[in-house]
Amino acid sequence: MKRNQAFRIHAYGGPDALRRDDVPEPEVAAGQLLVEVKAAGINGLDAKIREGLLRGAFPLPLPATLGVELAGVVSRVGEGVTGFKVGDRVMGPLAGLGAYANFVAVNAANLALTPEGLDDVAAAALPVASLAAWQSLRAAGELTPGQKVLIHGAAGGVGGFAVQFAKAEGATVWATASATSRDHVLKLGADVVIDRNAQRFESLAEGIDLVLDLVGGDVLDRSWQVLAPGGAIVSAVDLGISAKTPVGRKGIAFATRPDAARLRLAAEAVVSGKLRSTIAEVVGFDQIPAAVERVRIGHAPGKIVADFTR
Ligand SMILES: NC(=O)c1ccc[n+]([C@@H]2O[C@H](COP(=O)([O-])OP(=O)(O)OC[C@H]3O[C@@H](n4cnc5c(N)ncnc54)[C@H](OP(=O)(O)O)[C@@H]3O)[C@@H](O)[C@H]2O)c1
């Protein structure tokens, strides 16, 4: 097997905590595939894990390889796995950690075959963002045409897909974004884009059936007042939303689940041009720690993806 290198944390901390190490070949358990990673999406979750912000909810044995989604090639098939063979191109969320390594063992059920016409960088941009968008929009119940949806963080990886999915369901889509991301979010189909720095969304939006919170903090706190009676806030950021949900309101904490069939549909929609996937930046394997920090601080619209072949 080729050399296996990984970006791992040995202790929680800032950007320097993520270090490149030689690591052993992963064990491949029954039901798993060994994947040679070709590209990995960078996520906001990475810096939260690196800094130890989630250690209460998800204690982590250290050292730990970061990275939650990938595209790559099957290099070994574990016992009991059907539907995949060595050499297949695959993509998916890990539902765990380890994508910032040359090789990782992944539950086969999490992975979809990468369609022809989608390269590995494009494939690695999809799993978490497209599944999070699709699932979070439905976490409070099915969307119905004519509903008003407000998406905070609409310029980001998740938000970009959420705007398109909500629009495709016939919703009226309100979005918050910075002024520089405005045109991008409008092109994705938003009906109204509120400048998050210059305007107070709560003085413009009202009667919102669903708020999708991809930002948290005071943006979540200020969102209760824009809800229609019976409306809901789904937060992908604040796991403690239930405790702060006012009486008579609906607040739902959301966590993405693997869904290989849905991921494959999203990938096919990207290939056919029905769904736009925006890649803000492609970096090399060496640049993963800096890219993780850039996602934390703020970046151009869309996803940052690490291309391991660079
Ligand atoms: N629970 C889950 O399963 C799950 C899954 C995926 C992601 N997440 C979380 O969801 C969040 C978004 O993820 P992502 O991958 O889309 O991140 P991202 O690509 O970094 O996008 C976040 C976007 O939010 C915008 N933003 C920042 N502050 C804002 C504010 N105050 N109001 C409105 N927009 C603001 C930024 O764009 P502008 O500067 O242009 O406005 C940025 O593009 C992250 O915190 C991530 O950890 C959770």
Side-chain angles (χ1 to χ4, degrees), residues 34 59 88 104 140 154 206 215 219 267 271 279 305:
L34 185 67
D88 280 345
V104 60
E206 60 180 354
V215 175
V219 169
V271 173
I279 295 182
V305 178

Side-chain angles (χ1 to χ4, degrees), residues 11 38 48 84 100-101 109 129 135 140 157 166 197 210 218 252 306 310:
K38 300 292 186 186
K48 294 178 196 172
F84 295 97
Y100 299 154
Q135 294 169 1
N197 296 310
L210 174 67
D218 82 306
I252 297 166
R310 274 192 175 190

Side-chain angles (χ1 to χ4, degrees), residues 72-86:
V73 176
V74 174
S75 74
R76 199 181 317 154
V77 178
E79 209 183 302
V81 174
T82 55
F84 295 97
K85 59 182 188 313
V86 170

Side-chain angles (χ1 to χ4, degrees), residues 48 128 153 155-158 176-178 181 196 214-215 219 236 254-256 299:
K48 294 178 196 172
V128 170
V158 180
T176 58
S178 61
S181 300
R196 66 177 175 91
L214 303 169
V215 175
V219 169
F254 167 78
T256 312
H299 56 92

